[in-house]
Amino acid sequence: MASFYYQHIFMLIFLYPILCFASPRKLALVEQQPLILKYHNGPLLKGNITVNLVWYGKFTPIQRSIIVDFINSLSTSNPSPSSVSTWWKTTGKYKGGPCTVTVGNQILDTKYSLGKSLKSPHVVSLGLKAGSSRNTAVNVVLTSADVAVEGFCMSKCGSHGSRRVGKGRVAYAWVGNSVSQCAGQCAWPFHQPIYGPQTPPLVAPNGDVGVDGMIINLATVLAGAVTNPFSNGYFQGSASAPLEAVSACTGIYGSGAYPGYPGKVLVDKTSGSSFNARGLNGRKYLLPAMWDPITSTCKTLV
């Protein structure tokens, strides 16, 4: 299972004061290094992709609608420059062309069928309940705030992987609601970070720190799932702990971002919430930068 890690955010936060006092020549050398995600010649998920959802635990109808609206916003027609769909179109620059995403099956497991403390095999089992389509779907398990998942908050905020079914492999992903467990780690910048400068957090665009944090992590794993579904697509580093399309750009949400500062983003004049992408039904979201294979840079919407 490929997981995206956040320790490097905090390492960069600690290193930032050192970089500030580094000589201009040394700092310039660091800034000029291109970011390269190598393509490992494996298949990607392209064409029409269905995202099946398993809601594990208690989610309100509003929370579910925020997430469903986000997924449905990924492939809208005639996107504006700062839309969710424009953000997703960057995946179409990877080998094989674009993929269109729609919401498929939704399973509500409100009775915690496997308990409130899940191991990695439990997540895989739940994911496979949503369907067994090969190369045309990603089964996503979403766990509520009162569910503990192996590795959650210690080394990961979400993950994706694949499991062999018959002659093919089924892609799956998992994201948890961190609001009561580690919001400073998995819902930043809507919560003060665990480490580094304690700057005021941004106001969550949908008024829910946990779910707005889940959107960031869901965006991360979905982009990773379509560009590196079977651990032989686009990534840098080890296949067991890769830096992928979005996890390679962690902590960047707008122009001028640096460790501890998400960058310049848009602010809603009425609510004061921060966002950089518009979605369906008037939704607003804050989405992380994605690696652009054409420019070899982390691309932001604003």
Side-chain angles (χ1 to χ4, degrees):
M1 178 187 293
S3 301
F4 58 93
Y5 292 81
Y6 277 72
Q7 288 94 329
H8 64 286
I9 293 180
F10 307 120
M11 289 177 65
L12 286 171
I13 289 173
F14 286 130
L15 288 173
Y16 180 68
I18 299 174
L19 291 175
C20 285
F21 291 101
S23 70
R25 180 174 178 273
K26 290 182 178 179
L27 187 56
L29 288 175
V30 172
E31 291 174 343
Q32 290 174 1
Q33 292 179 350
L35 174 63
I36 302 297
L37 301 189
K38 181 181 178 182
Y39 175 51
H40 295 78
N41 300 313
L44 310 185
L45 298 186
K46 296 295 180 178
N48 296 321
I49 303 299
T50 301
V51 176
N52 300 312
L53 301 174
V54 178
W55 303 92
Y56 190 83
K58 292 181 171 61
F59 289 90
T60 68
I62 292 177
Q63 289 177 323
R64 294 199 302 270
S65 68
I66 292 170
I67 292 175
V68 169
D69 282 348
F70 165 69
I71 297 172
N72 283 330
S73 297
L74 291 171
S75 300
T76 56
S77 58
N78 301 318
S80 65
S82 59
S83 69
V84 173
S85 184
T86 295
W87 177 85
W88 184 251
K89 280 184 177 297
T90 299
T91 63
K93 298 181 180 181
Y94 290 67
K95 186 177 178 66
C99 67
T100 300
V101 176
T102 57
V103 174
N105 300 329
Q106 295 191 58
I107 298 175
L108 302 182
D109 190 337
T110 59
K111 296 185 178 180
Y112 308 90
S113 62
L114 298 178
K116 291 188 176 182
S117 182
L118 304 180
K119 299 294 185 182
S120 295
H122 294 148
V123 174
V124 177
S125 176
L126 288 169
L128 292 179
K129 286 184 177 181
S132 58
S133 298
R134 299 184 292 274
N135 300 322
T136 60
V138 181
N139 297 338
V140 179
V141 178
L142 302 166
T143 51
S144 59
D146 57 346
V147 176
V149 177
E150 182 179 10
F152 190 27
C153 298
M154 292 183 288
S155 62
K156 59 189 178 182
C157 301
S159 60
H160 76 88
S162 65
R163 174 59 62 92
R164 180 168 293 280
V165 176
K167 296 182 179 180
R169 302 192 72 86
V170 175
Y172 64 87
W174 158 76
V175 170
N177 187 331
S178 66
V179 68
S180 59
Q181 299 182 54
C182 57
Q185 185 172 349
C186 294
W188 184 85
F190 303 127
H191 191 284
Q192 288 184 313
I194 296 176
Y195 307 104
Q198 297 300 299
T199 54
L202 303 182
V203 177
N206 294 287
D208 189 318
V209 169
V211 172
D212 279 302
M214 290 182 76
I215 293 295
I216 292 173
N217 300 325
L218 179 58
T220 302
V221 296
L222 284 179
V226 300
T227 60
N228 186 34
F230 310 121
S231 299
N232 54 7
Y234 284 86
F235 65 89
Q236 181 187 97
S238 167
S240 60
L243 291 178
E244 299 176 323
V246 174
S247 59
C249 303
T250 297
I252 302 173
Y253 297 90
S255 60
Y258 55 80
Y261 171 61
K264 185 178 180 180
V265 297
L266 304 175
V267 177
D268 185 280
K269 294 181 180 180
T270 301
S271 67
S273 63
S274 296
F275 68 100
N276 59 10
R278 293 178 170 84
L280 295 174
N281 299 321
R283 295 286 187 193
K284 296 176 181 177
Y285 301 100
L286 186 68
L287 301 181
M290 188 187 306
W291 185 74
D292 187 326
I294 304 300
T295 62
S296 295
T297 60
C298 291
K299 182 179 180 180
T300 61
L301 286 172
V302 296

